[in-house]
Amino acid sequence: MDRPAVPAALPRAPGDALGPTGAPRLGAYQGSFGKVDLAPLAPEGLLASVRHAARLKRWQRVVLTTEHHVLALAIVDGGTLASGAVWVAERRRGEVLFARAAGGVPALNVRVGDHPGPGARASFAAPGIELLLERRSDRFQLEADLGSSLQLEAYLDARGEPEPFALVAPLPGGGLRAAQLTGPLAVSGALSVRGRSHAVEGGLAAIDYGAGLFPREVAWRKVTAAGRLPDGRPLALHLAEGLDGVEPGDGGEDVLLAAGGPHRLPPVVFEADPGSPTAPWRIASLDGAVELAFRPAASHRDARELLLVSARTAQHAGELTGRLPAPGGGELLVEGLPGLIEDFAARW
């Protein structure tokens, strides 16, 4: 049965996530923020400023998929913890070809800029690992240098992509977050893992940018996918549970990025079998418009602690099959769409 089309007509993203008085520009948008500068929200007083800095988080996260692989790269400034991570999974054999995560100190090991689109720059450097994401003209440059273990130099082409999806939403405890999802971006470049070359040409990528003042404890599940429909059309998909939308019942950053997009999607729930890491996940909306099965192929876990601060991440590379609301009405069927689930919990 055909379902109503998901509204796609969103206002243009503002130049800044905050207005001239410092008030957040709450809402969902199409296009890229000029910048996400949360400095005006810093309170007066030394102790209050320190608490503000500890709550402020920024990240750039890339999911890159090819016919044979899923690659995930993250650069995170967690306020009190910094981290950089890259891992590569082989889709068919379910093999983790490479995984490395490192911690660091904000402002020393990591930089995540205010610009999620044009002018974007994020970097992480620690002994044995250097990661970079930078927007140059009409493409992003993605680099990872881990010596003889892994070398990546990729270019993510922003020409002809659907408009990014941008969101400004409140968080509990007077918090605020801004998100921007970009993709599907055509990939070119080179990847070498332990001296062996792996093709990335012809792949697709999606970028998840986040910044905000987060509560002390957070937990979310996200799936980010980039691939092609059975007829060859490219698309990117991002669904999340555990992050608030603009108002109750709002889908938050649930979005389909495809021709004519972005197209907002309804809120979803993630269901997994905790006793079986290889069992399929179910990702569905209450109205049945989104009904997806995610079959994990490979997993990677990382945990970090520093005094009273901790962060736990489990990531699963795999494929999505099921249905989504189609732009213009009806259903859109996806089959074997490569992507990544992130299961995250932190005490910041």
PDB file of all heavy atoms in Angstrom, residues 8 10-13 29-32 158 160-166 180-184 255-263:
ATOM      1  N   ALA A   8       9.738  17.080   1.769  1.00  0.00           N
ATOM      2  CA  ALA A   8      11.143  17.319   1.438  1.00  0.00           C
ATOM      3  C   ALA A   8      11.483  18.799   1.382  1.00  0.00           C
ATOM      4  O   ALA A   8      12.641  19.147   1.290  1.00  0.00           O
ATOM      5  CB  ALA A   8      11.469  16.660   0.091  1.00  0.00           C
ATOM      6  N   LEU A  10      12.434  21.779   2.799  1.00  0.00           N
ATOM      7  CA  LEU A  10      12.980  22.336   4.032  1.00  0.00           C
ATOM      8  C   LEU A  10      13.563  23.715   3.756  1.00  0.00           C
ATOM      9  O   LEU A  10      14.049  23.980   2.652  1.00  0.00           O
ATOM     10  CB  LEU A  10      14.080  21.427   4.580  1.00  0.00           C
ATOM     11  CG  LEU A  10      13.658  20.028   5.032  1.00  0.00           C
ATOM     12  CD1 LEU A  10      14.889  19.186   5.337  1.00  0.00           C
ATOM     13  CD2 LEU A  10      12.747  20.100   6.232  1.00  0.00           C
ATOM     14  N   PRO A  11      13.573  24.598   4.747  1.00  0.00           N
ATOM     15  CA  PRO A  11      14.210  25.906   4.547  1.00  0.00           C
ATOM     16  C   PRO A  11      15.719  25.754   4.399  1.00  0.00           C
ATOM     17  O   PRO A  11      16.306  24.750   4.800  1.00  0.00           O
ATOM     18  CB  PRO A  11      13.845  26.673   5.819  1.00  0.00           C
ATOM     19  CG  PRO A  11      13.546  25.614   6.835  1.00  0.00           C
ATOM     20  CD  PRO A  11      12.967  24.453   6.075  1.00  0.00           C
ATOM     21  N   ARG A  12      16.341  26.769   3.818  1.00  0.00           N
ATOM     22  CA  ARG A  12      17.788  26.757   3.648  1.00  0.00           C
ATOM     23  C   ARG A  12      18.491  26.865   4.994  1.00  0.00           C
ATOM     24  O   ARG A  12      18.044  27.580   5.895  1.00  0.00           O
ATOM     25  CB  ARG A  12      18.240  27.925   2.766  1.00  0.00           C
ATOM     26  CG  ARG A  12      17.684  27.925   1.361  1.00  0.00           C
ATOM     27  CD  ARG A  12      18.196  26.751   0.565  1.00  0.00           C
ATOM     28  NE  ARG A  12      19.647  26.688   0.517  1.00  0.00           N
ATOM     29  CZ  ARG A  12      20.327  25.688  -0.040  1.00  0.00           C
ATOM     30  NH1 ARG A  12      19.693  24.671  -0.568  1.00  0.00           N
ATOM     31  NH2 ARG A  12      21.654  25.713  -0.055  1.00  0.00           N
ATOM     32  N   ALA A  13      19.601  26.159   5.123  1.00  0.00           N
ATOM     33  CA  ALA A  13      20.378  26.214   6.360  1.00  0.00           C
ATOM     34  C   ALA A  13      20.923  27.624   6.576  1.00  0.00           C
ATOM     35  O   ALA A  13      21.383  28.271   5.634  1.00  0.00           O
ATOM     36  CB  ALA A  13      21.517  25.213   6.305  1.00  0.00           C
ATOM     37  N   TYR A  29      16.896  21.719   8.262  1.00  0.00           N
ATOM     38  CA  TYR A  29      17.211  22.535   7.090  1.00  0.00           C
ATOM     39  C   TYR A  29      17.812  21.680   5.977  1.00  0.00           C
ATOM     40  O   TYR A  29      18.300  20.570   6.211  1.00  0.00           O
ATOM     41  CB  TYR A  29      18.225  23.628   7.474  1.00  0.00           C
ATOM     42  CG  TYR A  29      17.809  24.491   8.631  1.00  0.00           C
ATOM     43  CD1 TYR A  29      18.246  24.201   9.935  1.00  0.00           C
ATOM     44  CD2 TYR A  29      16.987  25.592   8.445  1.00  0.00           C
ATOM     45  CE1 TYR A  29      17.866  24.996  11.002  1.00  0.00           C
ATOM     46  CE2 TYR A  29      16.609  26.389   9.515  1.00  0.00           C
ATOM     47  CZ  TYR A  29      17.046  26.095  10.788  1.00  0.00           C
ATOM     48  OH  TYR A  29      16.674  26.881  11.849  1.00  0.00           O
ATOM     49  N   GLN A  30      17.806  22.241   4.783  1.00  0.00           N
ATOM     50  CA  GLN A  30      18.561  21.673   3.678  1.00  0.00           C
ATOM     51  C   GLN A  30      19.715  22.609   3.345  1.00  0.00           C
ATOM     52  O   GLN A  30      19.603  23.820   3.470  1.00  0.00           O
ATOM     53  CB  GLN A  30      17.687  21.451   2.454  1.00  0.00           C
ATOM     54  CG  GLN A  30      17.054  22.703   1.873  1.00  0.00           C
ATOM     55  CD  GLN A  30      16.281  22.401   0.602  1.00  0.00           C
ATOM     56  OE1 GLN A  30      16.721  21.630  -0.236  1.00  0.00           O
ATOM     57  NE2 GLN A  30      15.104  23.010   0.478  1.00  0.00           N
ATOM     58  N   GLY A  31      20.837  22.025   2.946  1.00  0.00           N
ATOM     59  CA  GLY A  31      22.025  22.816   2.687  1.00  0.00           C
ATOM     60  C   GLY A  31      22.973  22.763   3.866  1.00  0.00           C
ATOM     61  O   GLY A  31      22.697  22.151   4.905  1.00  0.00           O
ATOM     62  N   SER A  32      24.103  23.420   3.721  1.00  0.00           N
ATOM     63  CA  SER A  32      25.158  23.358   4.727  1.00  0.00           C
ATOM     64  C   SER A  32      25.158  24.602   5.607  1.00  0.00           C
ATOM     65  O   SER A  32      24.990  25.726   5.118  1.00  0.00           O
ATOM     66  CB  SER A  32      26.530  23.231   4.046  1.00  0.00           C
ATOM     67  OG  SER A  32      27.570  23.225   4.995  1.00  0.00           O
ATOM     68  N   ALA A 158      31.839  16.442  -3.865  1.00  0.00           N
ATOM     69  CA  ALA A 158      30.568  17.039  -3.458  1.00  0.00           C
ATOM     70  C   ALA A 158      29.753  17.563  -4.632  1.00  0.00           C
ATOM     71  O   ALA A 158      28.620  18.013  -4.441  1.00  0.00           O
ATOM     72  CB  ALA A 158      30.818  18.176  -2.473  1.00  0.00           C
ATOM     73  N   GLY A 160      27.212  17.632  -7.513  1.00  0.00           N
ATOM     74  CA  GLY A 160      26.059  16.845  -7.908  1.00  0.00           C
ATOM     75  C   GLY A 160      25.416  16.066  -6.779  1.00  0.00           C
ATOM     76  O   GLY A 160      24.435  15.347  -7.003  1.00  0.00           O
ATOM     77  N   GLU A 161      25.926  16.203  -5.563  1.00  0.00           N
ATOM     78  CA  GLU A 161      25.330  15.493  -4.432  1.00  0.00           C
ATOM     79  C   GLU A 161      23.988  16.114  -4.066  1.00  0.00           C
ATOM     80  O   GLU A 161      23.721  17.287  -4.378  1.00  0.00           O
ATOM     81  CB  GLU A 161      26.257  15.586  -3.216  1.00  0.00           C
ATOM     82  CG  GLU A 161      26.439  17.002  -2.740  1.00  0.00           C
ATOM     83  CD  GLU A 161      26.945  17.115  -1.321  1.00  0.00           C
ATOM     84  OE1 GLU A 161      27.260  16.093  -0.721  1.00  0.00           O
ATOM     85  OE2 GLU A 161      27.019  18.256  -0.807  1.00  0.00           O
ATOM     86  N   PRO A 162      23.096  15.368  -3.400  1.00  0.00           N
ATOM     87  CA  PRO A 162      21.919  16.010  -2.814  1.00  0.00           C
ATOM     88  C   PRO A 162      22.356  17.050  -1.786  1.00  0.00           C
ATOM     89  O   PRO A 162      23.455  16.977  -1.235  1.00  0.00           O
ATOM     90  CB  PRO A 162      21.192  14.845  -2.131  1.00  0.00           C
ATOM     91  CG  PRO A 162      21.721  13.608  -2.777  1.00  0.00           C
ATOM     92  CD  PRO A 162      23.126  13.920  -3.181  1.00  0.00           C
ATOM     93  N   GLU A 163      21.497  18.007  -1.524  1.00  0.00           N
ATOM     94  CA  GLU A 163      21.802  18.985  -0.486  1.00  0.00           C
ATOM     95  C   GLU A 163      22.034  18.259   0.839  1.00  0.00           C
ATOM     96  O   GLU A 163      21.330  17.288   1.161  1.00  0.00           O
ATOM     97  CB  GLU A 163      20.631  19.953  -0.330  1.00  0.00           C
ATOM     98  CG  GLU A 163      20.435  20.881  -1.511  1.00  0.00           C
ATOM     99  CD  GLU A 163      21.321  22.104  -1.426  1.00  0.00           C
ATOM    100  OE1 GLU A 163      22.325  22.069  -0.663  1.00  0.00           O
ATOM    101  OE2 GLU A 163      21.019  23.094  -2.109  1.00  0.00           O
ATOM    102  N   PRO A 164      23.000  18.690   1.642  1.00  0.00           N
ATOM    103  CA  PRO A 164      23.137  18.119   2.985  1.00  0.00           C
ATOM    104  C   PRO A 164      21.892  18.378   3.822  1.00  0.00           C
ATOM    105  O   PRO A 164      21.073  19.263   3.515  1.00  0.00           O
ATOM    106  CB  PRO A 164      24.352  18.862   3.556  1.00  0.00           C
ATOM    107  CG  PRO A 164      25.091  19.384   2.371  1.00  0.00           C
ATOM    108  CD  PRO A 164      24.047  19.682   1.340  1.00  0.00           C
ATOM    109  N   PHE A 165      21.765  17.615   4.882  1.00  0.00           N
ATOM    110  CA  PHE A 165      20.698  17.817   5.851  1.00  0.00           C
ATOM    111  C   PHE A 165      21.302  18.402   7.115  1.00  0.00           C
ATOM    112  O   PHE A 165      22.326  17.909   7.615  1.00  0.00           O
ATOM    113  CB  PHE A 165      20.006  16.492   6.181  1.00  0.00           C
ATOM    114  CG  PHE A 165      19.003  16.606   7.306  1.00  0.00           C
ATOM    115  CD1 PHE A 165      17.790  17.243   7.119  1.00  0.00           C
ATOM    116  CD2 PHE A 165      19.290  16.091   8.557  1.00  0.00           C
ATOM    117  CE1 PHE A 165      16.873  17.363   8.157  1.00  0.00           C
ATOM    118  CE2 PHE A 165      18.386  16.193   9.602  1.00  0.00           C
ATOM    119  CZ  PHE A 165      17.161  16.825   9.401  1.00  0.00           C
ATOM    120  N   ALA A 166      20.708  19.459   7.637  1.00  0.00           N
ATOM    121  CA  ALA A 166      21.225  20.137   8.826  1.00  0.00           C
ATOM    122  C   ALA A 166      20.125  20.252   9.870  1.00  0.00           C
ATOM    123  O   ALA A 166      18.946  20.421   9.534  1.00  0.00           O
ATOM    124  CB  ALA A 166      21.759  21.523   8.458  1.00  0.00           C
ATOM    125  N   GLN A 180      24.954  17.701  10.913  1.00  0.00           N
ATOM    126  CA  GLN A 180      24.882  17.855   9.467  1.00  0.00           C
ATOM    127  C   GLN A 180      25.280  16.536   8.819  1.00  0.00           C
ATOM    128  O   GLN A 180      26.324  15.962   9.142  1.00  0.00           O
ATOM    129  CB  GLN A 180      25.778  18.986   8.969  1.00  0.00           C
ATOM    130  CG  GLN A 180      25.643  19.214   7.457  1.00  0.00           C
ATOM    131  CD  GLN A 180      26.221  20.528   7.013  1.00  0.00           C
ATOM    132  OE1 GLN A 180      25.910  21.586   7.585  1.00  0.00           O
ATOM    133  NE2 GLN A 180      27.053  20.500   5.991  1.00  0.00           N
ATOM    134  N   LEU A 181      24.443  16.044   7.916  1.00  0.00           N
ATOM    135  CA  LEU A 181      24.681  14.793   7.203  1.00  0.00           C
ATOM    136  C   LEU A 181      24.869  15.095   5.731  1.00  0.00           C
ATOM    137  O   LEU A 181      24.046  15.796   5.129  1.00  0.00           O
ATOM    138  CB  LEU A 181      23.505  13.823   7.384  1.00  0.00           C
ATOM    139  CG  LEU A 181      23.259  13.242   8.784  1.00  0.00           C
ATOM    140  CD1 LEU A 181      24.538  12.680   9.387  1.00  0.00           C
ATOM    141  CD2 LEU A 181      22.565  14.208   9.710  1.00  0.00           C
ATOM    142  N   THR A 182      25.959  14.583   5.173  1.00  0.00           N
ATOM    143  CA  THR A 182      26.332  14.886   3.801  1.00  0.00           C
ATOM    144  C   THR A 182      26.581  13.588   3.042  1.00  0.00           C
ATOM    145  O   THR A 182      27.262  12.694   3.539  1.00  0.00           O
ATOM    146  CB  THR A 182      27.606  15.750   3.758  1.00  0.00           C
ATOM    147  OG1 THR A 182      27.411  16.922   4.549  1.00  0.00           O
ATOM    148  CG2 THR A 182      27.951  16.163   2.337  1.00  0.00           C
ATOM    149  N   GLY A 183      26.067  13.486   1.823  1.00  0.00           N
ATOM    150  CA  GLY A 183      26.303  12.309   1.006  1.00  0.00           C
ATOM    151  C   GLY A 183      25.155  12.123   0.010  1.00  0.00           C
ATOM    152  O   GLY A 183      24.195  12.898   0.023  1.00  0.00           O
ATOM    153  N   PRO A 184      25.208  11.107  -0.825  1.00  0.00           N
ATOM    154  CA  PRO A 184      26.348  10.218  -1.056  1.00  0.00           C
ATOM    155  C   PRO A 184      27.410  10.917  -1.904  1.00  0.00           C
ATOM    156  O   PRO A 184      27.091  11.558  -2.911  1.00  0.00           O
ATOM    157  CB  PRO A 184      25.726   9.047  -1.821  1.00  0.00           C
ATOM    158  CG  PRO A 184      24.577   9.667  -2.572  1.00  0.00           C
ATOM    159  CD  PRO A 184      24.054  10.772  -1.692  1.00  0.00           C
ATOM    160  N   VAL A 255      17.230  10.681   8.070  1.00  0.00           N
ATOM    161  CA  VAL A 255      17.147  11.337   6.767  1.00  0.00           C
ATOM    162  C   VAL A 255      17.618  10.405   5.653  1.00  0.00           C
ATOM    163  O   VAL A 255      18.507   9.572   5.848  1.00  0.00           O
ATOM    164  CB  VAL A 255      17.993  12.645   6.768  1.00  0.00           C
ATOM    165  CG1 VAL A 255      19.480  12.341   6.958  1.00  0.00           C
ATOM    166  CG2 VAL A 255      17.763  13.467   5.509  1.00  0.00           C
ATOM    167  N   LEU A 256      16.985  10.547   4.511  1.00  0.00           N
ATOM    168  CA  LEU A 256      17.401   9.897   3.271  1.00  0.00           C
ATOM    169  C   LEU A 256      17.982  10.972   2.375  1.00  0.00           C
ATOM    170  O   LEU A 256      17.334  11.986   2.099  1.00  0.00           O
ATOM    171  CB  LEU A 256      16.198   9.229   2.594  1.00  0.00           C
ATOM    172  CG  LEU A 256      16.414   8.694   1.172  1.00  0.00           C
ATOM    173  CD1 LEU A 256      17.378   7.517   1.182  1.00  0.00           C
ATOM    174  CD2 LEU A 256      15.082   8.290   0.552  1.00  0.00           C
ATOM    175  N   LEU A 257      19.218  10.765   1.927  1.00  0.00           N
ATOM    176  CA  LEU A 257      19.883  11.694   1.023  1.00  0.00           C
ATOM    177  C   LEU A 257      19.930  11.050  -0.356  1.00  0.00           C
ATOM    178  O   LEU A 257      20.677  10.104  -0.592  1.00  0.00           O
ATOM    179  CB  LEU A 257      21.290  12.008   1.531  1.00  0.00           C
ATOM    180  CG  LEU A 257      21.357  12.735   2.879  1.00  0.00           C
ATOM    181  CD1 LEU A 257      22.767  12.693   3.438  1.00  0.00           C
ATOM    182  CD2 LEU A 257      20.880  14.166   2.742  1.00  0.00           C
ATOM    183  N   ALA A 258      19.085  11.564  -1.241  1.00  0.00           N
ATOM    184  CA  ALA A 258      18.983  11.030  -2.596  1.00  0.00           C
ATOM    185  C   ALA A 258      18.585  12.171  -3.510  1.00  0.00           C
ATOM    186  O   ALA A 258      18.452  13.323  -3.063  1.00  0.00           O
ATOM    187  CB  ALA A 258      17.972   9.888  -2.650  1.00  0.00           C
ATOM    188  N   ALA A 259      18.413  11.871  -4.780  1.00  0.00           N
ATOM    189  CA  ALA A 259      18.069  12.909  -5.753  1.00  0.00           C
ATOM    190  C   ALA A 259      16.873  13.718  -5.270  1.00  0.00           C
ATOM    191  O   ALA A 259      15.846  13.154  -4.874  1.00  0.00           O
ATOM    192  CB  ALA A 259      17.764  12.269  -7.105  1.00  0.00           C
ATOM    193  N   GLY A 260      17.028  15.044  -5.290  1.00  0.00           N
ATOM    194  CA  GLY A 260      15.959  15.914  -4.833  1.00  0.00           C
ATOM    195  C   GLY A 260      15.890  16.056  -3.331  1.00  0.00           C
ATOM    196  O   GLY A 260      15.018  16.759  -2.820  1.00  0.00           O
ATOM    197  N   GLY A 261      16.814  15.415  -2.619  1.00  0.00           N
ATOM    198  CA  GLY A 261      16.772  15.403  -1.150  1.00  0.00           C
ATOM    199  C   GLY A 261      17.362  16.650  -0.539  1.00  0.00           C
ATOM    200  O   GLY A 261      17.752  17.575  -1.245  1.00  0.00           O
ATOM    201  N   PRO A 262      17.459  16.688   0.780  1.00  0.00           N
ATOM    202  CA  PRO A 262      17.226  15.593   1.726  1.00  0.00           C
ATOM    203  C   PRO A 262      15.739  15.338   1.985  1.00  0.00           C
ATOM    204  O   PRO A 262      14.905  16.233   1.845  1.00  0.00           O
ATOM    205  CB  PRO A 262      17.914  16.088   2.999  1.00  0.00           C
ATOM    206  CG  PRO A 262      17.814  17.586   2.910  1.00  0.00           C
ATOM    207  CD  PRO A 262      17.924  17.916   1.451  1.00  0.00           C
ATOM    208  N   HIS A 263      15.437  14.087   2.367  1.00  0.00           N
ATOM    209  CA  HIS A 263      14.078  13.675   2.657  1.00  0.00           C
ATOM    210  C   HIS A 263      14.036  13.170   4.098  1.00  0.00           C
ATOM    211  O   HIS A 263      14.667  12.170   4.427  1.00  0.00           O
ATOM    212  CB  HIS A 263      13.627  12.567   1.700  1.00  0.00           C
ATOM    213  CG  HIS A 263      13.844  12.911   0.257  1.00  0.00           C
ATOM    214  ND1 HIS A 263      12.970  13.686  -0.475  1.00  0.00           N
ATOM    215  CD2 HIS A 263      14.851  12.587  -0.590  1.00  0.00           C
ATOM    216  CE1 HIS A 263      13.426  13.826  -1.725  1.00  0.00           C
ATOM    217  NE2 HIS A 263      14.563  13.168  -1.802  1.00  0.00           N
TER     218      HIS A 263
END
